[in-house]
């Protein structure tokens, strides 16, 4: 899924929505994608959190190869 949706939005599309100072936030493009998928798949916030945790674990495993 990541390969198909990658590039749908980019962080610069949301630059005006985020402050320029302070702690860096999560990628706005990733947040938008997660929100759309959550709506389309009818997932609860908890279900999305479980998917994000599993995806992050997979990304960590990929970076260690």
């Amino acid at each position: 899924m990541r390969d198909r949706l990658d590039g749908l939005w980019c962080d610069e599309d949301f630059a005006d929505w985020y402050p320029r100072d302070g702690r860096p936030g999560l990628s706005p493009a990733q947040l938008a994608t997660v929100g759309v998928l959550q709506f389309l798949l009818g997932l609860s916030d908890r279900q999305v959190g479980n998917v994000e945790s599993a995806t992050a674990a997979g990304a960590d495993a990929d970076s260690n190869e």
Side-chain angles (χ1 to χ4, degrees), residues 22-34:
R23 184 176 152 191
L26 299 173
S27 165
Q30 289 178 343
L31 291 173
T33 302
V34 168

Side-chain angles (χ1 to χ4, degrees), residues 3-63:
D3 294 338
R4 290 199 165 252
L5 295 177
D6 190 34
L8 188 60
W9 294 288
C10 63
D11 290 344
E12 291 78 23
D13 295 337
F14 303 94
D16 292 339
W17 297 7
Y18 286 82
R20 305 231 184 270
D21 57 347
R23 184 176 152 191
L26 299 173
S27 165
Q30 289 178 343
L31 291 173
T33 302
V34 168
V36 169
L37 288 174
Q38 179 180 8
F39 173 77
L40 292 174
L41 299 174
L43 299 175
S44 69
D45 290 342
R46 180 169 295 188
Q47 289 170 312
V48 170
N50 292 339
V51 171
E52 287 176 339
S53 297
T55 303
D60 291 343
D62 290 343
S63 65

